[in-house]
Amino acid sequence: MRTHSHWVLPVSLLVALLLGLLPLPPMLQPLRPYWLALVVAYWVIEDPNRVGLGFAFLVGLLADLSFGSLFGEQALRLLVMAFILQRFRARLRFFPLSQQALAIGGLLLNDRIIVAAVQIVLGKPSLPAMFWLAPLAGMVLWAPVFLLLDALRLGNWRRR
Amino acid sequence: MPPYAGPSAARAGDVAGTLRLLAYLALSVTLIVLDHRGGWLHQARQQAGLVVGPLLAVAGWPGRMAERLRDDAGTLSQLSVENRRLRNELLVNHARMARMTTVAADNARLRDLLDTARRGSLDVQLAPVLDVDLDPTRQRLLLDAGSSDGVRTGQSVIDAGGLLGQVIDVTPMHSTVLLLTDADHAVPVAIARNGVRLVAYGRGRSDTLALASIPLSSDVKVGDMVVTSGLGGRFPPGFPVGEITALRPDESRAFLVGDLRPAAQLDRGRDVLLLRSAPARAPIGPVDANVDPAATGDESGVAATAGQGADGRAAGSNATDQPTTTSTTARAAPGNGAPATEPVNKAANRTTHKPALQPVSKPATQRTTQPRETRR
């Protein structure tokens, strides 16, 4: 895999963090997709040599610091997702984009379950019902994110 | 690790990956629990906040832009909606304020009335006005109090400002008041400043009274306060009647005629005071004792001077007839009428043997002090 655009990885992470911090109107707030998960998923699938569990863990800690969430929570979530992606990477790579999106949707749903589990274990108030719709937004956004990052990384639009 | 590793290599990688996963999981769970339990990560987090701050600022920038844009775009509709709402509120508040003003005015008026009654320690009775009849030929009030409430014919009616008129007709439930300003009404008055005695006539208009036949030589000026003189006994002395607003020579050029602005608020208010008796502790002692019988009095005697309503003028002329027979109607012939008023008083002074008039004449000299007090 050619990796002649080294700047794309950090920039994409930074943008994902910013998008996660972007203030949204209260109505859209629960629908905010987990941008960071999409970006990390892309890099885990496309650049496994550089991006692994440790990378996901560190990115998660960074996100925890920026978002002000529980220290380690996002690290845990991204870690689990990265691990599952690594396991199914070989199959996922050759899925058409729509099926990939479905798989990512499943992973995001799993992510939500982890969040809910953490909340319950720690005795925090449970999340609103709208909260479970966020994976849908992430699923829909997977294709554009994937195509955009691919284009930036490879320098041209890939045909799929 | 190559992307397309063989099955065995993949399995070995799987095991290693799982172990690493477990290690990281343990680490993250530890961090979560530590962060949740204790606050020792607080410090680290604060340090991180310094780094994250700019990040947040950058993240917030599009939101602020959007907000500003929305503000600018939505300004017109928002403002118009707000304008409408505020306008409605303004209307409601205006209405509310108008009501408050009315209530406040009512309150002030009632307070005034109360004060009037208390000031002179007058024995008065508050009577609501039922009906007002103000046209040039009739200036009357109908009060919601009658003989069953103790109202009697001839009682003086006052308000916070001064004399209003007198009761001329009483039914069990209602009574009629003839106002000072009725064209048929006249009241003996005196200038508060110096006690010059005059007669004030109604004109049929609620904002003015007439002073007729003022001798040119007498000390009467515009702005003088005019009070009841108590002569004739119908009205107790010392109640403000009005203020002189104009003086001009009459046709004969021998006398002055004056305009008087009534002190009482004849066209305002919803309550009046009925005077049951004269001031109990007025400065002049003997007056009260003697005016009382006159006021409560019989219209029989000389008591009925100028102020007796529809037939008041006849009575008045009777009274003036006593000293000089010349004056038939004081207003029709001011030249004759004017001296007539003067002799009345002289006669009053002279005819001291008459019990009704004797005390009345005394205050005429001392009146200069009395009205001041009632005026405060």
Side-chain angles (χ1 to χ4, degrees):
Chain A
M1 193 81 20
R2 295 160 301 163
T3 53
H4 49 87
S5 306
H6 289 286
W7 55 272
V8 178
L9 175 61
V11 167
S12 64
L13 284 175
L14 187 67
V15 170
L17 273 178
L18 284 180
L19 285 174
L21 288 171
L22 190 73
L24 286 179
M27 214 180 65
L28 290 181
Q29 189 71 34
L31 288 178
R32 181 204 294 277
Y34 194 9
W35 294 101
L36 210 53
L38 296 183
V39 171
V40 167
Y42 173 83
W43 289 113
V44 168
I45 291 173
E46 294 296 327
D47 199 357
N49 288 331
R50 286 206 297 164
V51 174
L53 294 183
F55 176 84
F57 186 77
L58 288 179
V59 168
L61 288 184
L62 189 65
D64 281 328
L65 280 181
S66 330
F67 290 3
S69 49
L70 264 179
F71 199 61
E73 183 198 302
Q74 297 202 45
L76 176 69
R77 286 158 63 184
L78 290 179
L79 190 69
V80 171
M81 196 183 70
F83 180 76
I84 298 172
L85 277 173
Q86 270 189 345
R87 272 295 156 87
F88 295 100
R89 174 176 172 275
R91 248 168 283 177
L92 274 173
R93 283 201 69 197
F94 298 101
F95 276 177
L97 210 48
S98 55
Q99 276 190 41
Q100 253 182 23
L102 271 178
I104 291 293
L107 281 173
L108 289 173
L109 191 65
N110 177 52
D111 177 64
R112 282 298 174 210
I113 292 171
I114 293 173
V115 173
V118 168
Q119 304 263 1
I120 288 170
V121 167
L122 296 182
K124 289 192 167 186
S126 60
L127 295 157
M130 282 287 278
F131 175 87
W132 294 97
L133 292 179
L136 280 179
M139 204 168 80
V140 170
L141 283 171
W142 170 252
V145 166
F146 184 90
L147 291 177
L148 180 70
L149 285 176
D150 242 16
L152 289 173
R153 189 171 63 96
L154 303 175
N156 62 340
W157 293 98
R158 183 154 48 153
R159 301 218 157 262
R160 285 193 70 119
Chain B
M1 170 170 45
Y4 307 115
S8 63
R11 190 149 308 272
D14 279 356
V15 173
T18 311
L19 281 178
R20 269 166 57 211
L21 170 77
L22 287 177
Y24 279 128
L25 272 182
L27 189 56
S28 61
V29 168
T30 315
L31 281 176
I32 291 176
V33 171
L34 281 177
D35 192 21
H36 182 62
R37 280 282 171 75
W40 67 268
L41 275 172
H42 195 64
Q43 290 291 330
R45 200 181 274 273
Q46 266 186 345
Q47 299 301 320
L50 291 179
V51 185
V52 176
L55 208 63
L56 282 173
V58 173
W61 188 72
R64 283 198 300 277
M65 281 304 286
E67 195 145 318
R68 192 180 303 165
L69 273 176
R70 203 185 49 201
D71 272 2
D72 289 351
T75 296
L76 188 65
S77 64
Q78 262 175 10
L79 280 186
S80 60
V81 167
E82 198 173 274
N83 208 350
R84 202 174 315 132
R85 187 173 56 80
L86 289 178
R87 222 171 277 229
N88 275 344
E89 275 175 21
L90 191 70
L91 270 179
V92 171
N93 282 342
H94 265 313
R96 216 172 270 160
M97 241 161 68
R99 249 190 62 214
M100 285 301 162
T101 314
T102 318
V103 170
D106 258 12
N107 195 6
R109 212 158 39 222
L110 289 172
R111 246 171 222 287
D112 271 355
L113 281 177
L114 204 64
D115 206 32
T116 310
R118 212 174 270 159
R119 197 192 316 145
S121 57
L122 300 175
D123 183 13
V124 293
Q125 174 184 5
L126 192 72
V129 174
L130 206 61
D131 186 33
V132 183
D133 192 3
L134 291 181
D135 60 60
T137 57
R138 287 166 57 86
Q139 297 255 323
R140 279 151 217 229
L141 295 180
L142 191 62
L143 300 186
D144 193 14
S147 56
S148 59
D149 303 302
V151 180
R152 294 176 316 275
T153 307
Q155 268 187 308
S156 299
V157 181
I158 61 173
D159 76 352
L163 191 67
L164 265 178
Q166 56 179 314
V167 177
I168 54 166
D169 187 29
V170 180
T171 64
M173 298 307 294
H174 305 296
S175 50
T176 311
V177 173
L178 186 70
L179 291 177
L180 285 183
T181 49
D182 191 285
D184 288 334
H185 195 281
V187 53
V189 296
I191 306 290
R193 190 163 48 84
N194 51 21
V196 170
R197 293 176 293 271
L198 302 164
V199 179
Y201 299 97
R203 275 184 169 151
R205 283 167 49 196
S206 60
D207 59 344
T208 174
L209 294 167
L211 285 172
S213 313
I214 308 168
L216 278 174
S217 60
S218 62
D219 180 16
V220 177
K221 284 189 280 196
V222 170
D224 277 346
M225 280 301 298
V226 170
V227 299
T228 52
S229 68
L231 285 178
R234 171 56 69 110
F235 295 106
F239 282 98
V241 172
E243 184 187 347
I244 298 178
T245 55
L247 282 171
R248 57 183 175 279
D250 67 355
E251 291 90 343
S252 70
R253 303 273 161 191
F255 296 96
L256 296 171
V257 291
D259 289 341
L260 208 56
R261 191 178 58 229
Q265 296 184 317
L266 290 149
D267 49 355
R268 259 159 272 181
R270 293 198 297 254
D271 300 279
V272 297
L273 293 174
L274 288 166
L275 210 56
R276 283 207 188 109
S277 61
R281 288 284 169 271
I284 311 140
V287 177
D288 312 320
N290 291 305
V291 163
D292 258 351
T296 57
D298 39 2
E299 293 91 84
S300 60
V302 217
T305 344
Q308 215 188 1
D311 34 29
R313 213 184 310 172
S317 60
N318 282 342
T320 52
D321 269 347
Q322 257 191 334
T324 57
T325 50
T326 49
S327 83
T328 49
T329 55
R331 266 182 301 165
N336 293 333
T341 58
E342 202 53 31
V344 171
N345 303 312
K346 278 180 190 152
N349 278 333
R350 268 184 280 127
T351 60
T352 44
H353 61 276
K354 286 208 166 184
L357 276 179
Q358 178 202 10
V360 180
S361 61
K362 267 185 196 161
T365 58
Q366 294 170 326
R367 207 164 294 129
T368 43
T369 60
Q370 188 183 0
R372 292 239 170 83
E373 224 162 280
T374 50
R375 269 191 303 154
R376 269 189 310 192

